[in-house]
Amino acid sequence: RKARRLRIVDGRSRDVVTVIELLSPANKKPGDDHRQYLGKRSEVLANGASFVEIDLLRGGRRAPPADAPRSAYRATVIRAADWPLVGVWPVALREPLPTVPVPLRPDDPEPLVDLQAVLHTTYDENRFARRVYDGPPEPPLSPDDAAWAAALV
């Protein structure tokens, strides 16, 4: 299994400051994997670190907050100091991904990460075009969205 998690660690104390997680299908599949993921997320927050969750999967179970707007994709930012308040960036299928803050220590400025630029760079440098579009998307797209997507590929 490849790690889909980035830990930002304080250089002096060696404490984890923030965890950035790119969700995998296992994180969203009902059952043990989903419960384990939620447990790890809760543990990070209980230990005083912030959490950034990037969900680029349209299917599967969403992690809390349950009252977040419905969307194809989303980014969630949970600042340790503000927990249980959560920032959610919902993204429609045809919209570009957002730029989101990455919380650090309370007095540190928060860098912004342009998720769309990161996606484009990763996609291009790793030649994902050869691997990503080898079958129909899951879950299936609506007819309008399928026509839109086909025009892009």
Side-chain angles (χ1 to χ4, degrees):
R1 255 183 169 175
K2 291 185 180 181
R4 291 175 174 82
R5 174 180 286 201
L6 173 69
R7 295 178 340 146
I8 300 172
V9 178
D10 184 293
R12 284 180 277 230
S13 69
R14 308 307 298 160
D15 292 334
V16 175
V17 175
T18 304
V19 172
I20 302 172
E21 178 96 20
L22 178 62
L23 294 189
S24 70
N27 296 141
K28 295 184 72 179
K29 185 178 179 182
D32 288 341
D33 287 339
H34 183 69
R35 282 189 295 280
Q36 285 178 352
Y37 169 71
L38 293 178
K40 287 179 187 177
R41 186 172 98 154
S42 293
E43 183 180 331
V44 166
L45 294 165
N47 287 326
S50 296
F51 198 87
V52 177
E53 180 181 273
I54 303 166
D55 184 354
L56 303 180
L57 301 168
R58 292 179 306 109
R61 265 195 166 154
R62 293 265 192 219
D67 62 346
R70 290 184 52 85
S71 59
Y73 311 113
R74 81 176 188 199
T76 303
V77 176
I78 307 170
R79 292 173 180 85
D82 296 340
W83 176 247
L85 296 177
V86 175
V88 177
W89 282 256
V91 184
L93 179 67
R94 299 182 192 198
E95 291 178 352
L97 297 176
T99 296
V100 297
V102 176
L104 300 174
R105 295 284 190 202
D107 295 334
D108 292 338
E110 295 182 348
L112 299 175
V113 176
D114 181 341
L115 296 178
Q116 189 67 47
V118 170
L119 177 68
H120 281 301
T121 300
T122 303
Y123 183 89
D124 292 343
E125 288 181 4
N126 292 287
R127 298 182 210 140
F128 281 122
R130 295 182 185 165
R131 294 181 258 173
V132 173
Y133 302 111
D134 60 355
E138 279 297 324
L141 297 172
S142 71
D144 285 346
D145 285 338
W148 169 80
L152 294 176
V153 177

